[in-house]
Amino acid sequence: AWLSRCAAADARAAQADAALAGWRQAQAERAAPRAGQVFDVVHRPGEVVAAGAPVVSLLPDGALKVLFFVPEPQLPRATMGATVQLGCDGCAAGLHARIRWVSPQAEYTPPVLYGTGSRAKLVYRIEAEPQAGATLRPGQPVDVRFSAAEGRT
């Protein structure tokens, strides 16, 4: 009887050790709150990371946006919900994006925008959401055009 109680106590201790090990592992792992892709790795395996510090930067599915600038004369074509055509090197033809935000204020042309011909000094920032199935990457340069009826950017 004494031996069986010792064996039962050892079994409970082993179960408690296993539960503690599982809890510790669960505390060391984190799941992303939403599905997405890894955009940047901040820390690599083996590095010391402060508590609460990010390890990777995630871009959630559906969070990718196309950012472009339109000169003031073409601003009337850039309406909320309008569809623009996208083009890029190596992309499939027929990509589109829907305008989801138009800046209410003009700003000076960013120095990183270069193009043929003259550029207007004041432009409006516009954000558009690529339609489903677009295989764009963050930071990828794209050509944006309004439909033929609306003109071009």
Side-chain angles (χ1 to χ4, degrees):
W2 177 80
L3 199 53
S4 66
R5 284 185 295 196
C6 287
D10 284 345
R12 285 193 306 273
Q15 288 174 346
D17 287 344
L20 179 61
W23 179 82
R24 284 181 177 157
Q25 174 141 2
Q27 293 300 307
E29 295 176 354
R30 292 289 178 245
R34 292 176 41 191
Q37 66 179 350
V38 174
F39 178 66
D40 188 22
V41 177
V42 180
H43 294 285
R44 304 277 179 194
E47 293 182 10
V48 176
V49 180
V55 177
V56 295
S57 176
L58 298 176
L59 180 63
D61 290 343
L64 189 65
K65 63 185 173 186
V66 175
L67 174 66
F68 61 102
F69 295 86
V70 173
E72 191 273 330
Q74 294 182 357
L75 187 61
R77 297 182 186 124
T79 58
M80 296 288 290
T83 301
V84 293
Q85 300 170 350
L86 303 178
C88 61
D89 294 336
C91 291
L95 293 179
H96 294 88
R98 185 168 308 280
I99 295 176
R100 65 179 180 195
W101 185 77
V102 178
S103 174
Q105 297 178 348
E107 54 190 87
Y108 285 101
T109 305
V112 295
L113 293 182
Y114 302 103
T116 59
S118 62
R119 291 250 185 220
K121 293 223 183 250
L122 292 176
V123 293
Y124 290 82
R125 178 181 168 141
I126 298 179
E127 294 178 7
E129 180 178 352
Q131 291 181 340
T135 56
L136 300 174
R137 298 182 182 270
Q140 180 178 11
V142 295
D143 296 322
V144 179
R145 291 187 179 90
F146 290 105
S147 68
E150 297 178 36
R152 298 174 77 171
T153 62

